[in-house]
Amino acid sequence: MFPLLETARLRLRALTTQDTERIFQCFAHEEVIRYYGQERFQELQQAERLIELFAQSFATEKGIRWGIELKETAEIIGTIGFHNWLKAHKRAEIGYELHPDYWHKGYAQEALTEVLAYGFQKMDLTRIGAVVFIENAASSQLLLKMGFQKEGILRAYMYQHGQAHDTIIYALLKTAYEGAN
């Protein structure tokens, strides 16, 4: 059963085909995918496939991706969740994106706080990693604020618009998380 998480302003829930248009609006926006390692969506079917991919990832226990829904309006404003989940090694990587209309309002931090708690407490993760384009200062600042530590640079690690980009690898260990909470 897909876990429903709630914060003061957000509901984190499974995405459905009814969310296709909102997911398309996110991933068709150049500002959203600028540091995502993929090209902008051009067709609604790409959003449908992404929603299916998230569902398959959960079904096969390789990841879990929540839609970030505003309680006030019941609209999806982005997604957040884990990928590269290796249960045997108690680790996963976190990823997230928000539509620019919702940037700088604290939604990413609010969702991330809830998802980190779920990862450490319910999924029994020992390590949560994050890979971030070096140019993505906002994401780097958020991760550092949440207690992640920079571990190093992954050179030419991701491609965007046919060009290789260096990324930073961040990680938060369960021991550090529990010590801070």
Side-chain angles (χ1 to χ4, degrees):
M1 178 126 175
F2 195 94
L4 174 69
L5 305 179
E6 292 198 31
T7 70
R9 301 179 295 167
L10 306 172
R11 183 173 295 108
L12 307 179
R13 62 166 177 82
L15 292 165
T16 71
T17 54
Q18 293 176 341
D19 301 313
T20 301
E21 178 63 37
R22 294 295 296 167
I23 294 300
F24 177 76
Q25 289 172 12
C26 264
F27 286 88
H29 201 290
E30 185 63 38
E31 288 297 301
V32 172
I33 61 91
R34 180 172 44 171
Y35 304 124
Y36 212 79
Q38 73 176 41
E39 302 303 315
R40 267 183 348 109
F41 282 5
Q42 303 292 323
E43 302 173 350
L44 212 53
Q45 292 81 3
Q46 290 173 287
E48 288 175 358
R49 284 194 296 273
L50 184 62
I51 291 169
E52 289 170 12
L53 178 70
F54 290 156
Q56 182 182 14
S57 180
F58 178 70
T60 58
E61 296 186 324
K62 292 184 176 151
I64 181 170
R65 194 75 169 207
W66 289 269
I68 303 171
E69 179 184 88
L70 278 181
K71 284 182 176 179
E72 187 177 316
T73 61
E75 68 182 340
I76 292 292
I77 63 170
T79 74
I80 188 168
F82 297 110
H83 55 276
N84 295 334
W85 180 18
L86 297 172
K87 287 177 83 172
H89 297 285
K90 297 185 177 216
R91 70 174 185 218
E93 290 180 12
I94 190 100
Y96 45 83
E97 81 290 323
L98 288 176
H99 190 279
D101 290 351
Y102 303 94
W103 289 359
H104 310 295
K105 298 178 187 317
Y107 293 127
Q109 182 176 348
E110 190 172 327
L112 187 55
T113 298
E114 194 67 23
V115 170
L116 291 176
Y118 185 86
F120 288 126
Q121 296 165 7
K122 303 293 184 192
M123 295 170 66
D124 195 30
L125 297 175
T126 298
R127 173 193 170 90
I128 297 174
V131 176
V132 179
F133 277 62
I134 286 179
E135 302 86 356
N136 191 347
S139 192
S140 289
Q141 288 172 348
L142 175 60
L143 292 168
L144 291 169
K145 184 177 186 177
M146 299 299 293
F148 281 74
Q149 290 186 5
K150 179 180 174 181
E151 294 187 327
I153 305 291
L154 301 170
R155 296 178 302 145
Y157 192 71
M158 294 183 76
Y159 271 77
Q160 186 76 32
H161 303 304
Q163 182 180 356
H165 290 268
D166 294 346
T167 61
I168 302 170
I169 181 77
Y170 291 96
L172 178 61
L173 301 183
K174 188 174 192 174
T175 52
Y177 173 81
E178 290 174 341
N181 290 300

